[in-house]
Amino acid sequence: MVATAPHGETTADQTPAPQQTPRPAAVVVLAAGQGTRMKSATPKVLHALGGRTMLGHAMTAAGELAPEHLAVVVRHEREQVAAAALDLDAGALVVDQDEIPGTGRAVQCALDALDARVHATRAATLAQSDTVHDDEDGEHPLGDGVDGAVVVLAGDIPLLDGATLAELLAAHHADGNAVTILTTELDDATGYGRIVRESGTGDVTAIVEHKDATAAQREIREINSSVYVFDAAVLRRGLGGLGSDNAQGEVYLTDVVASARAEGGAVRALLSDDPMLVEGVNDRLALATLGAELNRRTLERWMRDGVTVVDPATTWVDADVELAPDVTLLPGTQLHGATTVAAGATVGPDTTLTDVEIGAGATVVRTHGSLSVIGEGASVGPFAYLRPGTVLGTKGKIGTFVETKNAEIGAGSKVPHLSYVGDAVIGEQSNIGAASVTVNYDGVAKHRTVIGSHARTGADNMFVAPVTVGDGAYTAAGSIITRDVPAGSLGVSRAQQKNIDGWVESRRPGTPAAEAAARTRDAAGDDATLAPQAKRELAEHNALNGANPSTDDDGDASASTGSA
Ligand code: UD1
Ligand code: CA
């Protein structure tokens, strides 16, 4: 891992481990550009893939180096990008680039701000220690500022990871470079800065932007990825002398290569054999391509860690999702945000979950859910909708066509069919009948339903909240429960049933139903089941219609009894 030496101290001469690389003095993330080709109201670096913005990917990779300072340069949509950066890392230094364009200017603004921060820290330390440092030789009394390695990376390289940055930093120190550049080779290098190497040594003599390159230089396939390590002093001196005499009239960071070499520093490149890893996003095509590649890599990592992914092509897992061994993801599964799945659970097919915690051995089938917890061995779906605040206990069940929200369903309790459970607490081992609804909203406020443990509620119940059903209570099917049901009681709330004999033959004569009823009555051997009123109506009807169903003027057959 990365050494955690205090500021300015290199661990190399104290620690024998040769692979130990000192933490960088600073990482600078460039995020001031507009990203015109995205054609978006959202700044480019705030477009997301794998559930993280590109800025999030850059800052996550940067954070893995444990830099002393992390600076993010902003300008376009400044407020949005600055807020996002501070949200990702409250300790980040947000630096405003001025109106002078170019990556060189962006880094210059960052270095000035970082130097100022270092000076402020030193001044505070000196004030405390009472050490007066009178400097007469024209140098800054508090020293140069940032000292050591400064890592610079563009904010639009989403697949770049901390391991690659660490490798670049290690190479920078191992070779004693002034500048180390991460490069790769592309079949089509159009648009990129080309790496010009010295024959023999292989050192980098220049980076030439596509627009400034000669025809011969455009043949070069090795490109600048916009990821670098600079020695702070070399960078500071180089940036001080940069102009903008080039095809784009911008201050190019890449011109620091020439100044570093001019003062005798070594400029070397680390060639990555993984172009996708260092590829930048300029438009939405690249966003989709790299998004799919990121997903492919994420799934590959989980499969190597013991997760079964039946169909990687239709399975999407965000970068921050955590999966345990022996999890099975069935086709059409999308796991987003901070979703976690414990060992042996099966998710899918066709399930989309965001910030959901799934317990060991649970099954979640054809479900859409967010901000919910699914207990160990629980079962959800098919066709369930878990809204925020759903907590399903161990071996609980949320079944088919069930919607839940802000609902605690205890261990072993079941809501199997066609129900809505919202703003509710259900105890353990209770069963909620099919087609039940917690009626939680009175048009103004939301109210709670509380159902105890070992309760058995009937099908088609409405629980008009606030209402409580006690432990071990039953409710009758079709009940509208508006009053509390005490523990162990049966709650019934429905009209008495009455049967009107002969109604069908009387009011719907000639229909298949009436004929079926008549056949049953005949088979029973008498017509006593027909009530006198029904007999009279039936006789009148038959007299009027010649004992046959009537035919309307327009020819449509209908049972025109005249009754509604
Ligand atoms: C840059 C490199 C090029 C490299 C390519 C890789 C320079 C001069 N060129 O070119 O060699 O091959 O990246 O993708 O550096 N940015 C700012 N402020 C600015 C301009 C840019 O912060 O004034 C940021 C952008 O937000 C972006 C990064 O710097 O994150 C790169 O800028 P971009 O305009 O994409 O540079 P390229 O022309 O692609
Ligand atoms: Ca670019």
Side-chain angles (χ1 to χ4, degrees):
M1 280 310 290
V2 175
T4 52
H7 171 76
E9 210 176 300
T10 57
T11 54
D13 51 351
Q14 295 152 3
T15 323
Q19 74 274 24
Q20 201 134 41
T21 307
R23 356 165 22 191
V27 177
V28 177
V29 176
L30 304 181
Q34 186 171 357
T36 332
R37 280 170 285 173
M38 294 300 280
K39 299 191 175 154
S40 176
T42 303
K44 177 163 85 172
V45 292
L46 297 189
H47 281 263
L49 58 173
R52 246 189 229 157
T53 62
M54 285 196 266
L55 183 64
H57 285 288
M59 289 178 68
T60 302
E64 285 177 34
L65 297 178
E68 290 170 46
H69 303 282
L70 174 56
V72 180
V73 186
V74 300
R75 179 169 170 83
H76 178 74
E77 295 290 348
R78 186 249 174 237
E79 294 305 324
Q80 265 191 77
V81 180
L86 291 172
D87 200 39
L88 288 156
D89 179 356
L93 179 66
V94 173
V95 177
D96 285 289
Q97 185 175 353
D98 56 19
E99 65 291 338
I100 300 173
T103 48
R105 184 61 181 180
V107 174
Q108 196 165 28
C109 293
L111 197 60
D112 285 350
L114 286 164
D115 285 347
R117 193 193 237 196
V118 169
H119 285 151
T121 310
R122 278 189 202 148
T125 315
L126 285 179
Q128 268 180 2
S129 66
D130 262 5
T131 320
V132 182
H133 188 275
D134 216 346
D135 217 318
E136 297 289 317
D137 57 10
E139 284 175 11
H140 196 291
L142 296 167
D144 277 343
V146 171
D147 183 27
V150 176
V151 177
V152 175
L153 62 133
D156 60 357
I157 312 174
L159 266 57
L160 180 72
D161 56 6
T164 305
L165 285 179
E167 214 181 307
L168 188 71
L169 189 63
H172 179 81
H173 286 290
D175 298 349
N177 296 343
V179 183
T180 311
I181 307 154
L182 183 64
T183 68
T184 195
E185 284 180 347
L186 298 180
D187 291 336
D188 179 7
T190 307
Y192 287 93
R194 307 298 208 283
I195 301 295
V196 183
R197 290 193 188 240
E198 191 176 54
S199 59
T201 63
D203 282 9
V204 178
T205 58
I207 301 173
V208 185
E209 291 307 296
H210 183 89
K211 285 180 180 156
D212 302 297
T214 63
Q217 286 167 333
R218 287 184 182 182
E219 296 296 310
I220 298 171
R221 290 177 47 232
E222 186 180 9
I223 61 103
N224 168 28
S225 68
S226 266
V227 181
Y228 322 78
V229 184
F230 295 94
D231 174 75
V234 171
L235 183 62
R236 191 177 293 108
R237 288 191 293 269
L239 290 170
L242 290 186
S244 57
D245 181 18
N246 52 55
Q248 300 182 85
E250 293 186 357
V251 181
Y252 287 168
L253 176 61
T254 46
D255 287 347
V256 171
V257 169
S259 61
R261 276 180 64 86
E263 59 175 56
V267 180
R268 299 201 174 94
L270 182 72
L271 177 66
S272 168
D273 59 2
D274 185 355
M276 290 278 214
L277 189 83
V278 299
E279 201 169 305
V281 169
N282 289 319
D283 57 24
R284 304 211 197 205
L285 274 76
L287 186 68
T289 305
L290 289 182
E293 178 62 16
L294 175 64
N295 185 59
R296 204 189 60 70
R297 291 178 185 209
T298 301
L299 293 177
E300 190 177 307
R301 177 164 56 85
W302 287 121
M303 287 188 277
R304 291 197 192 287
D305 281 354
V307 171
T308 294
V309 180
V310 173
D311 182 18
T314 63
T315 304
W316 291 80
V317 173
D318 278 359
D320 291 330
V321 168
E322 292 288 339
L323 306 175
D326 284 326
V327 160
T328 300
L329 304 182
L330 297 175
T333 294
Q334 296 153 40
L335 302 180
H336 299 301
T339 293
T340 61
V341 188
T346 300
V347 185
D350 302 326
T351 292
T352 303
L353 303 175
T354 306
D355 302 325
V356 173
E357 183 186 325
I358 301 173
T363 59
V364 185
V365 184
R366 289 186 201 278
T367 292
H368 191 97
S370 61
L371 286 164
S372 296
V373 178
I374 296 167
E376 213 177 300
S379 120
V380 177
F383 308 106
Y385 180 27
L386 311 188
R387 290 164 56 202
T390 297
V391 180
L392 178 62
T394 302
K395 294 196 172 145
K397 181 182 175 93
I398 291 174
T400 311
F401 301 112
V402 173
E403 174 178 341
T404 58
K405 181 214 75 174
N406 190 21
E408 260 177 64
I409 299 167
S413 285
K414 294 176 179 173
V415 186
H417 328 277
L418 299 151
S419 294
Y420 171 67
V421 179
D423 299 313
V425 179
I426 299 172
E428 298 185 355
Q429 308 294 336
S430 287
N431 192 80
I432 306 303
S436 292
V437 171
T438 56
V439 184
N440 58 335
Y441 187 46
D442 62 11
V444 180
K446 304 279 172 72
H447 302 282
R448 274 163 80 79
T449 299
V450 178
I451 296 174
S453 294
H454 296 280
R456 295 279 177 275
T457 66
D460 195 28
N461 276 197
M462 300 290 120
F463 299 98
V464 182
V467 73
T468 298
V469 176
D471 288 340
Y474 275 55
T475 60
S479 290
I480 297 174
I481 304 297
T482 54
R483 291 192 291 132
D484 290 356
V485 181
S489 298
L490 170 68
V492 195
S493 144
R494 63 189 184 204
Q496 285 278 330
Q497 180 176 341
K498 68 178 177 181
N499 298 330
I500 302 169
D501 290 341
W503 187 92
V504 174
E505 282 173 89
S506 157
R507 299 298 187 91
R508 299 291 183 268
T511 62
E515 283 161 11
R519 279 196 300 277
T520 302
R521 186 163 41 75
D522 291 347
D526 69 334
D527 63 356
T529 52
L530 209 55
Q533 162 77 10
K535 265 190 208 161
R536 203 162 48 245
E537 286 188 8
L538 190 56
E540 282 169 15
H541 184 92
N542 289 347
L544 271 171
N545 294 286
N548 279 320
S550 70
T551 301
D552 288 340
D553 289 345
D554 61 7
D556 285 337
S558 69
S560 58
T561 61
S563 63

